[in-house]
Every structure is written in C-alpha cells, then in structure tokens.
Amino acid sequence: MNRPRVLTDYHLHLRSDDLDATAERHFTAANAERYRTVASERGIAELGVSEHVYRFEQALEVWRHPFWQENARDDLDEYCAFVREQTDLRLGIEADFMPGTEDRMANLLQAHDFDYVIGSVHFLREGAVDMEDYSVWDSNPTHPRSPEEIWRRYFQTLGEAARSGLFDILAHPDLVKVWGAERPRPEGDPRSYYELALEGIAESGVAVEVSTAGLRKRAQELYPAPAFLQMCLEAGAQVALSSDAHCPEEVGADYERALELLEQMGVSELCVFDHRERRLEPIGDLVT
Ligand SMILES: [Zn+2]
Ligand SMILES: [Zn+2]
C-alpha cells in the first residue's frame, strides 16, 4: 500500500510576539488562510497553530511570572473555538515547562481538545533563556552564572520536560544556543550537555522538533544541532518538523536545510498528530 507522503509545519504562531499583535486582528479566517496559502506553495499540507500558552488569561492559574502577567490577555477557549470552527488547521499550543507547575499545566491542557501540545523550556526558574527581559544570562550581575551552569540546567530541565508526559513534541531542543556568539558557550564537547536530556527523551518517547527558527536567530543554526539530533535518533526519538513561523512568509522557511539534515541522518518519516494521537508518515517533497 502506498502511504501518503507529507510535509508538516506544526509550530506556527498567527501573530508576532508583540503585545499589540492582538487576537482580534490575527485570529481570523483570512489570516489563517495566508499561512495555508504559503504552505501550499511550498508543498506543506499538514499545518497546525501553536500559540504561546502565556498569552491566555488561563495561564495565570499555572504561573504568575511578571512576563506572563503582562502577556495573559486572551481567552484560551475562544482561541480553540476559532481554530476549530474558522480554520482548517490543526489545533496545537506551545506550553512552557516549569518544574513545580506540572499539575496545574496538566489541568489546563487536559481541559482543551488539542491535536498536539508543544513543550518548550524558555525559562530556568525566573530567568529567560531567549529574551533580553528577565534574562537568565545576566540576572545576577555580581555573580554572573557561568555558561556551564546555564547549559547544564537548560538540558536537565529539557529532560524533565520530556519526562513530565505533558507534551507531544519538544520544541527547539537546544534553544539555549539562541544568542549565538553574543553569549558565552561552555568549553568542550556540547554532547556532555545534550546527554543530560537524553534519558528523559528516550524514556518518554516524546517527538523531537527539528525547527528552522534557529536559522533566523543569532544562532544561525537549525535546532537541534546535528550531534544532538543524532543522539535523539539513537535514543529512538521521532521527528516533528516545523518552522516556528510568526508571520505567513516564515511558513516552511529554510525547509531545504532541515530536509537535507534529516536525509543525512537517515530520517524518512515525520510525526503527524490528530487529537494527541501520533502516527508516522513518509516525508514529502518540498516545492522550491
Ligand atoms: Zn518557543
Ligand atoms: Zn514558538
């Protein structure tokens, strides 16, 4: 039997991260259609949205970080109803992992009928990995954290995120490199840090996201680094392919680079999600 071949883009945001990018203006059928149009032109048929959980008021029941308090403005039920009723996109969400909030996050996620949940580590305790504000990199100027400590905590937390069972997909798995040369990197072989997340990834069976977003950041690299992807694959992980687009033009951005890496690594199938059930489909052709 011939199985359908498919390209996916599951990590999409219908708006930028600016607070003035409102739900009213961006959660519209016409805006969703713009993403669908670009995806179709690039041969990507399997599409889903994954707005940041912290932009919804309900997230404050999980965590009350000042950044979340500033961002939590929209209603999660309205977002879910909009995606289901006014678009043909899969319904996902990008949810943060913070140790200690697992039960509350589980309650929030279980109360909604998602096709998939993407788990992200953006914060190490109160400190942000990838934002200038609340930055973990300079949160204590008199005793700056060493890159070794930040990388160690980041990958340990990523492993805990996998193990929590809250998520179907682990987003941008080595996000800690997002700043590229603008932040110090630990000395030596990064695999000793990747190793810290690996047991959780292996035991949970969570899908690992290959994301082209890092190519658009200072890192200028795919997430995850090839060596980390290889370790995940050897641990039995399956791959979810996404762009982390925040506007229609970014849908499927740089997929040729991601597909080249997947081919080099011998990956021939991608994860497809439906109501939090996962199956694998052979990788389709990109239209360039
Ligand atoms: Zn993210
Ligand atoms: Zn995202």
Side-chain angles (χ1 to χ4, degrees):
M1 198 184 84
N2 267 346
R3 293 157 67 212
R5 297 165 69 231
V6 72
L7 287 174
T8 63
D9 200 342
Y10 280 141
H11 191 152
L12 299 178
H13 300 272
L14 290 172
R15 53 183 171 176
S16 76
D17 290 338
D18 293 343
L19 277 174
D20 49 12
T22 59
E24 294 71 35
R25 262 195 304 129
H26 293 82
F27 295 173
T28 67
N31 192 36
E33 201 48 42
R34 283 182 209 114
Y35 285 70
R36 176 61 80 187
T37 301
V38 175
S40 302
E41 287 166 4
R42 294 177 178 170
I44 304 164
E46 185 58 29
L47 221 57
V49 282
S50 58
E51 293 301 319
H52 286 292
V53 72
Y54 57 73
R55 297 200 64 166
F56 300 104
E57 289 162 354
Q58 287 89 337
L60 296 179
E61 292 156 25
V62 178
W63 206 37
R64 301 193 65 86
H65 189 285
F67 177 72
W68 283 37
Q69 300 206 37
E70 198 187 347
N71 272 267
R73 299 186 175 184
D74 303 323
D75 183 70
L76 183 56
D77 299 298
E78 283 175 20
Y79 160 68
C80 294
F82 155 70
V83 175
R84 288 287 185 220
E85 291 161 21
Q86 295 188 52
T87 80
D88 59 359
L89 310 178
R90 298 246 183 233
L91 174 58
I93 191 155
E94 180 175 9
D96 295 64
F97 178 75
M98 290 84 53
T101 65
E102 291 90 333
D103 289 351
R104 298 193 299 278
M105 186 63 89
N107 287 339
L108 180 150
L109 296 173
Q110 281 159 14
H112 299 86
D113 175 31
F114 296 114
D115 286 310
Y116 54 86
V117 176
I118 302 181
S120 297
V121 176
H122 296 124
F123 284 89
L124 299 176
R125 297 203 194 93
E126 307 295 305
V129 172
D130 62 338
M131 289 192 305
E132 298 277 8
D133 293 346
Y134 313 106
S135 174
V136 73
W137 298 94
D138 51 27
S139 50
N140 187 344
T142 47
H143 296 284
R145 294 202 178 89
S146 68
E148 287 77 15
E149 183 191 343
I150 293 173
W151 277 54
R152 186 174 63 244
R153 280 178 44 210
Y154 174 82
F155 285 102
Q156 279 169 348
T157 308
L158 188 72
E160 286 175 54
R163 218 188 280 272
S164 73
L166 290 167
F167 312 116
D168 303 294
I169 301 169
L170 274 191
H172 36 62
D174 54 354
L175 180 72
V176 70
K177 74 181 179 189
V178 60
W179 297 103
E182 290 181 18
R183 300 283 185 282
R185 279 204 192 202
E187 304 274 329
D189 190 338
R191 281 177 289 196
S192 61
Y193 295 93
Y194 307 153
E195 192 68 50
L196 300 168
L198 219 57
E199 211 174 86
I201 290 171
E203 284 174 10
S204 63
V206 70
V208 167
E209 181 179 81
V210 169
S211 168
T212 58
L215 293 166
R216 305 192 298 274
K217 306 282 182 174
R218 315 281 215 295
Q220 305 265 301
E221 289 176 25
L222 291 165
Y223 303 117
F228 188 20
L229 179 59
Q230 184 158 23
M231 290 164 77
C232 294
L233 295 170
E234 283 164 7
Q238 294 166 345
V239 169
L241 176 62
S242 289
S243 68
D244 206 346
H246 286 66
C247 60
E249 298 70 43
E250 290 174 352
V251 176
D254 299 310
Y255 263 27
E256 59 284 352
R257 301 270 301 270
L259 292 172
E260 192 185 342
L261 176 65
L262 291 175
E263 196 181 338
Q264 279 168 14
M265 300 267 163
V267 176
S268 60
E269 295 178 312
L270 296 175
C271 296
V272 171
F273 295 90
D274 182 4
H275 291 90
R276 307 204 66 180
E277 300 263 335
R278 175 173 74 187
R279 62 179 198 277
L280 288 169
E281 302 284 9
I283 298 180
D285 293 319
L286 189 66
V287 179
T288 47

